[in-house]
PDB file of all heavy atoms in Angstrom:
ATOM      1  N   PRO A1161     -19.208 -12.430   1.470  1.00  0.00           N
ATOM      2  CA  PRO A1161     -19.397 -12.192   0.033  1.00  0.00           C
ATOM      3  C   PRO A1161     -19.959 -10.746  -0.142  1.00  0.00           C
ATOM      4  O   PRO A1161     -20.885 -10.393   0.588  1.00  0.00           O
ATOM      5  CB  PRO A1161     -20.407 -13.242  -0.393  1.00  0.00           C
ATOM      6  CG  PRO A1161     -20.252 -14.348   0.619  1.00  0.00           C
ATOM      7  CD  PRO A1161     -19.858 -13.691   1.898  1.00  0.00           C
ATOM      8  N   PRO A1162     -19.471  -9.996  -1.079  1.00  0.00           N
ATOM      9  CA  PRO A1162     -19.903  -8.608  -1.172  1.00  0.00           C
ATOM     10  C   PRO A1162     -21.444  -8.479  -1.421  1.00  0.00           C
ATOM     11  O   PRO A1162     -22.065  -9.386  -1.994  1.00  0.00           O
ATOM     12  CB  PRO A1162     -19.188  -8.091  -2.443  1.00  0.00           C
ATOM     13  CG  PRO A1162     -17.956  -8.891  -2.496  1.00  0.00           C
ATOM     14  CD  PRO A1162     -18.360 -10.286  -1.980  1.00  0.00           C
ATOM     15  N   SER A1163     -21.998  -7.380  -0.973  1.00  0.00           N
ATOM     16  CA  SER A1163     -23.397  -7.063  -1.230  1.00  0.00           C
ATOM     17  C   SER A1163     -23.585  -6.805  -2.738  1.00  0.00           C
ATOM     18  O   SER A1163     -22.762  -6.136  -3.344  1.00  0.00           O
ATOM     19  CB  SER A1163     -23.809  -5.829  -0.463  1.00  0.00           C
ATOM     20  OG  SER A1163     -24.965  -5.241  -1.044  1.00  0.00           O
ATOM     21  N   LEU A1164     -24.676  -7.349  -3.321  1.00  0.00           N
ATOM     22  CA  LEU A1164     -24.931  -7.162  -4.740  1.00  0.00           C
ATOM     23  C   LEU A1164     -25.445  -5.735  -5.056  1.00  0.00           C
ATOM     24  O   LEU A1164     -25.491  -5.340  -6.207  1.00  0.00           O
ATOM     25  CB  LEU A1164     -26.001  -8.181  -5.189  1.00  0.00           C
ATOM     26  CG  LEU A1164     -25.654  -9.608  -4.951  1.00  0.00           C
ATOM     27  CD1 LEU A1164     -26.795 -10.537  -5.426  1.00  0.00           C
ATOM     28  CD2 LEU A1164     -24.368  -9.971  -5.715  1.00  0.00           C
ATOM     29  N   LEU A1165     -25.787  -4.993  -4.020  1.00  0.00           N
ATOM     30  CA  LEU A1165     -26.307  -3.636  -4.193  1.00  0.00           C
ATOM     31  C   LEU A1165     -25.289  -2.606  -3.820  1.00  0.00           C
ATOM     32  O   LEU A1165     -24.862  -1.777  -4.625  1.00  0.00           O
ATOM     33  CB  LEU A1165     -27.517  -3.433  -3.300  1.00  0.00           C
ATOM     34  CG  LEU A1165     -28.808  -4.060  -3.693  1.00  0.00           C
ATOM     35  CD1 LEU A1165     -29.567  -4.493  -2.473  1.00  0.00           C
ATOM     36  CD2 LEU A1165     -29.636  -3.047  -4.455  1.00  0.00           C
ATOM     37  N   LEU A1166     -24.851  -2.699  -2.559  1.00  0.00           N
ATOM     38  CA  LEU A1166     -23.972  -1.671  -1.974  1.00  0.00           C
ATOM     39  C   LEU A1166     -22.586  -1.703  -2.598  1.00  0.00           C
ATOM     40  O   LEU A1166     -21.944  -0.649  -2.815  1.00  0.00           O
ATOM     41  CB  LEU A1166     -23.889  -1.940  -0.481  1.00  0.00           C
ATOM     42  CG  LEU A1166     -22.974  -1.028   0.314  1.00  0.00           C
ATOM     43  CD1 LEU A1166     -23.686   0.345   0.446  1.00  0.00           C
ATOM     44  CD2 LEU A1166     -22.707  -1.574   1.701  1.00  0.00           C
ATOM     45  N   GLU A1167     -22.083  -2.892  -2.797  1.00  0.00           N
ATOM     46  CA  GLU A1167     -20.713  -3.068  -3.180  1.00  0.00           C
ATOM     47  C   GLU A1167     -20.599  -3.506  -4.666  1.00  0.00           C
ATOM     48  O   GLU A1167     -19.788  -4.324  -5.028  1.00  0.00           O
ATOM     49  CB  GLU A1167     -20.019  -4.062  -2.238  1.00  0.00           C
ATOM     50  CG  GLU A1167     -19.975  -3.506  -0.813  1.00  0.00           C
ATOM     51  CD  GLU A1167     -19.902  -4.519   0.313  1.00  0.00           C
ATOM     52  OE1 GLU A1167     -20.434  -5.638   0.152  1.00  0.00           O
ATOM     53  OE2 GLU A1167     -19.388  -4.158   1.367  1.00  0.00           O
ATOM     54  N   ALA A1168     -21.466  -2.900  -5.476  1.00  0.00           N
ATOM     55  CA  ALA A1168     -21.526  -3.216  -6.900  1.00  0.00           C
ATOM     56  C   ALA A1168     -21.757  -1.922  -7.693  1.00  0.00           C
ATOM     57  O   ALA A1168     -22.347  -0.979  -7.154  1.00  0.00           O
ATOM     58  CB  ALA A1168     -22.658  -4.198  -7.176  1.00  0.00           C
ATOM     59  N   ASP A1169     -21.358  -1.928  -8.966  1.00  0.00           N
ATOM     60  CA  ASP A1169     -21.541  -0.828  -9.851  1.00  0.00           C
ATOM     61  C   ASP A1169     -22.444  -1.249 -11.004  1.00  0.00           C
ATOM     62  O   ASP A1169     -22.594  -2.440 -11.257  1.00  0.00           O
ATOM     63  CB  ASP A1169     -20.202  -0.381 -10.407  1.00  0.00           C
ATOM     64  CG  ASP A1169     -19.273   0.047  -9.319  1.00  0.00           C
ATOM     65  OD1 ASP A1169     -19.599   1.055  -8.619  1.00  0.00           O
ATOM     66  OD2 ASP A1169     -18.229  -0.605  -9.126  1.00  0.00           O
ATOM     67  N   PRO A1170     -23.015  -0.296 -11.738  1.00  0.00           N
ATOM     68  CA  PRO A1170     -23.730  -0.673 -12.960  1.00  0.00           C
ATOM     69  C   PRO A1170     -22.731  -1.416 -13.896  1.00  0.00           C
ATOM     70  O   PRO A1170     -21.574  -1.101 -13.896  1.00  0.00           O
ATOM     71  CB  PRO A1170     -24.113   0.672 -13.573  1.00  0.00           C
ATOM     72  CG  PRO A1170     -24.166   1.600 -12.387  1.00  0.00           C
ATOM     73  CD  PRO A1170     -23.070   1.120 -11.468  1.00  0.00           C
ATOM     74  N   PRO A1171     -23.209  -2.411 -14.660  1.00  0.00           N
ATOM     75  CA  PRO A1171     -24.603  -2.800 -14.783  1.00  0.00           C
ATOM     76  C   PRO A1171     -25.049  -3.852 -13.703  1.00  0.00           C
ATOM     77  O   PRO A1171     -26.221  -4.056 -13.530  1.00  0.00           O
ATOM     78  CB  PRO A1171     -24.655  -3.484 -16.143  1.00  0.00           C
ATOM     79  CG  PRO A1171     -23.276  -4.101 -16.308  1.00  0.00           C
ATOM     80  CD  PRO A1171     -22.333  -3.176 -15.593  1.00  0.00           C
ATOM     81  N   HIS A1172     -24.078  -4.439 -12.971  1.00  0.00           N
ATOM     82  CA  HIS A1172     -24.428  -5.498 -12.021  1.00  0.00           C
ATOM     83  C   HIS A1172     -25.388  -5.041 -10.915  1.00  0.00           C
ATOM     84  O   HIS A1172     -26.231  -5.739 -10.459  1.00  0.00           O
ATOM     85  CB  HIS A1172     -23.177  -6.097 -11.356  1.00  0.00           C
ATOM     86  CG  HIS A1172     -22.090  -6.382 -12.361  1.00  0.00           C
ATOM     87  ND1 HIS A1172     -22.126  -7.441 -13.221  1.00  0.00           N
ATOM     88  CD2 HIS A1172     -20.943  -5.718 -12.678  1.00  0.00           C
ATOM     89  CE1 HIS A1172     -21.107  -7.445 -14.038  1.00  0.00           C
ATOM     90  NE2 HIS A1172     -20.347  -6.387 -13.719  1.00  0.00           N
ATOM     91  N   HIS A1173     -25.181  -3.788 -10.495  1.00  0.00           N
ATOM     92  CA  HIS A1173     -25.921  -3.218  -9.433  1.00  0.00           C
ATOM     93  C   HIS A1173     -27.436  -3.104  -9.773  1.00  0.00           C
ATOM     94  O   HIS A1173     -28.291  -3.160  -8.869  1.00  0.00           O
ATOM     95  CB  HIS A1173     -25.357  -1.858  -9.088  1.00  0.00           C
ATOM     96  CG  HIS A1173     -26.264  -0.870  -8.449  1.00  0.00           C
ATOM     97  ND1 HIS A1173     -27.090  -0.023  -9.162  1.00  0.00           N
ATOM     98  CD2 HIS A1173     -26.557  -0.627  -7.136  1.00  0.00           C
ATOM     99  CE1 HIS A1173     -27.818   0.722  -8.304  1.00  0.00           C
ATOM    100  NE2 HIS A1173     -27.502   0.369  -7.077  1.00  0.00           N
ATOM    101  N   ASP A1174     -27.709  -2.929 -11.052  1.00  0.00           N
ATOM    102  CA  ASP A1174     -29.041  -2.393 -11.428  1.00  0.00           C
ATOM    103  C   ASP A1174     -30.184  -3.382 -11.246  1.00  0.00           C
ATOM    104  O   ASP A1174     -31.246  -2.965 -10.777  1.00  0.00           O
ATOM    105  CB  ASP A1174     -28.999  -1.862 -12.849  1.00  0.00           C
ATOM    106  CG  ASP A1174     -27.936  -0.760 -13.049  1.00  0.00           C
ATOM    107  OD1 ASP A1174     -27.543  -0.185 -12.013  1.00  0.00           O
ATOM    108  OD2 ASP A1174     -27.515  -0.510 -14.174  1.00  0.00           O
ATOM    109  N   ALA A1175     -30.021  -4.663 -11.592  1.00  0.00           N
ATOM    110  CA  ALA A1175     -31.149  -5.571 -11.441  1.00  0.00           C
ATOM    111  C   ALA A1175     -31.543  -5.749 -10.007  1.00  0.00           C
ATOM    112  O   ALA A1175     -32.736  -5.626  -9.662  1.00  0.00           O
ATOM    113  CB  ALA A1175     -30.810  -6.919 -12.121  1.00  0.00           C
ATOM    114  N   PRO A1176     -30.571  -5.985  -9.051  1.00  0.00           N
ATOM    115  CA  PRO A1176     -30.985  -6.038  -7.654  1.00  0.00           C
ATOM    116  C   PRO A1176     -31.670  -4.763  -7.194  1.00  0.00           C
ATOM    117  O   PRO A1176     -32.696  -4.849  -6.453  1.00  0.00           O
ATOM    118  CB  PRO A1176     -29.645  -6.278  -6.948  1.00  0.00           C
ATOM    119  CG  PRO A1176     -28.801  -6.966  -7.946  1.00  0.00           C
ATOM    120  CD  PRO A1176     -29.186  -6.360  -9.305  1.00  0.00           C
ATOM    121  N   ARG A1177     -31.161  -3.627  -7.592  1.00  0.00           N
ATOM    122  CA  ARG A1177     -31.765  -2.362  -7.195  1.00  0.00           C
ATOM    123  C   ARG A1177     -33.220  -2.265  -7.691  1.00  0.00           C
ATOM    124  O   ARG A1177     -34.119  -1.898  -6.932  1.00  0.00           O
ATOM    125  CB  ARG A1177     -30.926  -1.218  -7.765  1.00  0.00           C
ATOM    126  CG  ARG A1177     -31.524   0.199  -7.552  1.00  0.00           C
ATOM    127  CD  ARG A1177     -31.267   0.716  -6.191  1.00  0.00           C
ATOM    128  NE  ARG A1177     -32.043   1.903  -5.864  1.00  0.00           N
ATOM    129  CZ  ARG A1177     -31.759   2.760  -4.922  1.00  0.00           C
ATOM    130  NH1 ARG A1177     -30.695   2.575  -4.140  1.00  0.00           N
ATOM    131  NH2 ARG A1177     -32.527   3.793  -4.653  1.00  0.00           N
ATOM    132  N   HIS A1178     -33.405  -2.613  -8.958  1.00  0.00           N
ATOM    133  CA  HIS A1178     -34.768  -2.534  -9.563  1.00  0.00           C
ATOM    134  C   HIS A1178     -35.721  -3.502  -8.968  1.00  0.00           C
ATOM    135  O   HIS A1178     -36.922  -3.284  -8.940  1.00  0.00           O
ATOM    136  CB  HIS A1178     -34.679  -2.624 -11.073  1.00  0.00           C
ATOM    137  CG  HIS A1178     -34.024  -1.443 -11.684  1.00  0.00           C
ATOM    138  ND1 HIS A1178     -33.216  -1.499 -12.803  1.00  0.00           N
ATOM    139  CD2 HIS A1178     -34.050  -0.119 -11.345  1.00  0.00           C
ATOM    140  CE1 HIS A1178     -32.764  -0.305 -13.093  1.00  0.00           C
ATOM    141  NE2 HIS A1178     -33.226   0.559 -12.224  1.00  0.00           N
ATOM    142  N   VAL A1179     -35.204  -4.608  -8.425  1.00  0.00           N
ATOM    143  CA  VAL A1179     -36.068  -5.585  -7.709  1.00  0.00           C
ATOM    144  C   VAL A1179     -36.501  -5.017  -6.380  1.00  0.00           C
ATOM    145  O   VAL A1179     -37.679  -5.111  -5.953  1.00  0.00           O
ATOM    146  CB  VAL A1179     -35.339  -6.949  -7.567  1.00  0.00           C
ATOM    147  CG1 VAL A1179     -35.974  -7.773  -6.415  1.00  0.00           C
ATOM    148  CG2 VAL A1179     -35.325  -7.681  -8.868  1.00  0.00           C
ATOM    149  N   LEU A1180     -35.587  -4.410  -5.651  1.00  0.00           N
ATOM    150  CA  LEU A1180     -35.887  -3.946  -4.287  1.00  0.00           C
ATOM    151  C   LEU A1180     -36.789  -2.653  -4.321  1.00  0.00           C
ATOM    152  O   LEU A1180     -37.591  -2.488  -3.414  1.00  0.00           O
ATOM    153  CB  LEU A1180     -34.562  -3.664  -3.598  1.00  0.00           C
ATOM    154  CG  LEU A1180     -34.427  -4.120  -2.132  1.00  0.00           C
ATOM    155  CD1 LEU A1180     -35.137  -5.369  -1.843  1.00  0.00           C
ATOM    156  CD2 LEU A1180     -32.964  -4.220  -1.778  1.00  0.00           C
ATOM    157  N   GLU A1181     -36.539  -1.802  -5.312  1.00  0.00           N
ATOM    158  CA  GLU A1181     -37.220  -0.502  -5.322  1.00  0.00           C
ATOM    159  C   GLU A1181     -38.737  -0.599  -5.198  1.00  0.00           C
ATOM    160  O   GLU A1181     -39.305   0.029  -4.279  1.00  0.00           O
ATOM    161  CB  GLU A1181     -36.881   0.267  -6.590  1.00  0.00           C
ATOM    162  CG  GLU A1181     -36.070   1.496  -6.287  1.00  0.00           C
ATOM    163  CD  GLU A1181     -35.304   2.035  -7.469  1.00  0.00           C
ATOM    164  OE1 GLU A1181     -35.759   1.844  -8.631  1.00  0.00           O
ATOM    165  OE2 GLU A1181     -34.228   2.670  -7.240  1.00  0.00           O
ATOM    166  N   PRO A1182     -39.419  -1.385  -5.987  1.00  0.00           N
ATOM    167  CA  PRO A1182     -40.900  -1.437  -5.881  1.00  0.00           C
ATOM    168  C   PRO A1182     -41.325  -2.144  -4.532  1.00  0.00           C
ATOM    169  O   PRO A1182     -42.406  -1.802  -3.999  1.00  0.00           O
ATOM    170  CB  PRO A1182     -41.366  -2.235  -7.054  1.00  0.00           C
ATOM    171  CG  PRO A1182     -40.182  -2.958  -7.604  1.00  0.00           C
ATOM    172  CD  PRO A1182     -38.973  -2.130  -7.196  1.00  0.00           C
ATOM    173  N   ILE A1183     -40.546  -3.078  -4.082  1.00  0.00           N
ATOM    174  CA  ILE A1183     -40.926  -3.778  -2.807  1.00  0.00           C
ATOM    175  C   ILE A1183     -40.936  -2.833  -1.626  1.00  0.00           C
ATOM    176  O   ILE A1183     -41.711  -2.910  -0.728  1.00  0.00           O
ATOM    177  CB  ILE A1183     -39.939  -4.976  -2.576  1.00  0.00           C
ATOM    178  CG1 ILE A1183     -40.117  -6.030  -3.698  1.00  0.00           C
ATOM    179  CG2 ILE A1183     -40.197  -5.642  -1.219  1.00  0.00           C
ATOM    180  CD1 ILE A1183     -39.103  -7.147  -3.668  1.00  0.00           C
ATOM    181  N   LEU A1184     -39.994  -1.811  -1.674  1.00  0.00           N
ATOM    182  CA  LEU A1184     -39.848  -0.902  -0.564  1.00  0.00           C
ATOM    183  C   LEU A1184     -40.358   0.496  -0.915  1.00  0.00           C
ATOM    184  O   LEU A1184     -40.034   1.482  -0.200  1.00  0.00           O
ATOM    185  CB  LEU A1184     -38.321  -0.817  -0.166  1.00  0.00           C
ATOM    186  CG  LEU A1184     -37.661  -2.165   0.171  1.00  0.00           C
ATOM    187  CD1 LEU A1184     -36.185  -1.919   0.510  1.00  0.00           C
ATOM    188  CD2 LEU A1184     -38.333  -2.820   1.327  1.00  0.00           C
ATOM    189  N   SER A1185     -41.166   0.609  -1.953  1.00  0.00           N
ATOM    190  CA  SER A1185     -41.668   1.931  -2.394  1.00  0.00           C
ATOM    191  C   SER A1185     -42.748   2.414  -1.437  1.00  0.00           C
ATOM    192  O   SER A1185     -43.422   1.643  -0.767  1.00  0.00           O
ATOM    193  CB  SER A1185     -42.217   1.819  -3.828  1.00  0.00           C
ATOM    194  OG  SER A1185     -43.418   1.063  -3.777  1.00  0.00           O
ATOM    195  N   PRO A1186     -42.927   3.752  -1.406  1.00  0.00           N
ATOM    196  CA  PRO A1186     -44.015   4.330  -0.597  1.00  0.00           C
ATOM    197  C   PRO A1186     -45.357   3.692  -0.880  1.00  0.00           C
ATOM    198  O   PRO A1186     -46.149   3.396   0.021  1.00  0.00           O
ATOM    199  CB  PRO A1186     -43.984   5.833  -0.965  1.00  0.00           C
ATOM    200  CG  PRO A1186     -42.624   6.076  -1.443  1.00  0.00           C
ATOM    201  CD  PRO A1186     -42.163   4.781  -2.110  1.00  0.00           C
ATOM    202  N   ARG A1187     -45.599   3.487  -2.174  1.00  0.00           N
ATOM    203  CA  ARG A1187     -46.855   2.853  -2.606  1.00  0.00           C
ATOM    204  C   ARG A1187     -47.019   1.441  -2.013  1.00  0.00           C
ATOM    205  O   ARG A1187     -48.112   1.102  -1.491  1.00  0.00           O
ATOM    206  CB  ARG A1187     -46.807   2.812  -4.133  1.00  0.00           C
ATOM    207  CG  ARG A1187     -48.033   2.474  -4.817  1.00  0.00           C
ATOM    208  CD  ARG A1187     -47.765   2.268  -6.319  1.00  0.00           C
ATOM    209  NE  ARG A1187     -48.806   1.348  -6.771  1.00  0.00           N
ATOM    210  CZ  ARG A1187     -50.084   1.714  -6.925  1.00  0.00           C
ATOM    211  NH1 ARG A1187     -50.418   2.962  -6.733  1.00  0.00           N
ATOM    212  NH2 ARG A1187     -50.975   0.824  -7.319  1.00  0.00           N
ATOM    213  N   ALA A1188     -45.991   0.627  -2.082  1.00  0.00           N
ATOM    214  CA  ALA A1188     -46.106  -0.735  -1.551  1.00  0.00           C
ATOM    215  C   ALA A1188     -46.203  -0.737  -0.026  1.00  0.00           C
ATOM    216  O   ALA A1188     -46.882  -1.615   0.532  1.00  0.00           O
ATOM    217  CB  ALA A1188     -44.892  -1.537  -1.994  1.00  0.00           C
ATOM    218  N   LEU A1189     -45.609   0.293   0.613  1.00  0.00           N
ATOM    219  CA  LEU A1189     -45.606   0.318   2.083  1.00  0.00           C
ATOM    220  C   LEU A1189     -46.972   0.777   2.647  1.00  0.00           C
ATOM    221  O   LEU A1189     -47.215   0.631   3.849  1.00  0.00           O
ATOM    222  CB  LEU A1189     -44.458   1.178   2.607  1.00  0.00           C
ATOM    223  CG  LEU A1189     -43.050   0.721   2.246  1.00  0.00           C
ATOM    224  CD1 LEU A1189     -42.032   1.697   2.739  1.00  0.00           C
ATOM    225  CD2 LEU A1189     -42.741  -0.694   2.773  1.00  0.00           C
ATOM    226  N   ARG A1190     -47.782   1.360   1.791  1.00  0.00           N
ATOM    227  CA  ARG A1190     -49.079   1.936   2.270  1.00  0.00           C
ATOM    228  C   ARG A1190     -49.860   0.910   3.051  1.00  0.00           C
ATOM    229  O   ARG A1190     -50.490   1.267   4.093  1.00  0.00           O
ATOM    230  CB  ARG A1190     -49.889   2.438   1.061  1.00  0.00           C
ATOM    231  CG  ARG A1190     -49.600   3.835   0.693  1.00  0.00           C
ATOM    232  CD  ARG A1190     -50.845   4.515   0.122  1.00  0.00           C
ATOM    233  NE  ARG A1190     -51.252   3.953  -1.120  1.00  0.00           N
ATOM    234  CZ  ARG A1190     -50.970   4.478  -2.324  1.00  0.00           C
ATOM    235  NH1 ARG A1190     -50.346   5.663  -2.410  1.00  0.00           N
ATOM    236  NH2 ARG A1190     -51.382   3.922  -3.431  1.00  0.00           N
TER     237      ARG A1190
END
Side-chain angles (χ1 to χ4, degrees):
S1163 161
L1164 302 179
L1165 284 145
L1166 178 73
E1167 294 154 332
D1169 300 296
H1172 314 285
H1173 156 271
D1174 302 339
R1177 173 81 192 199
H1178 290 143
V1179 161
L1180 222 36
E1181 246 161 27
I1183 296 173
L1184 305 178
S1185 69
R1187 191 187 152 75
L1189 298 178
R1190 273 211 293 258

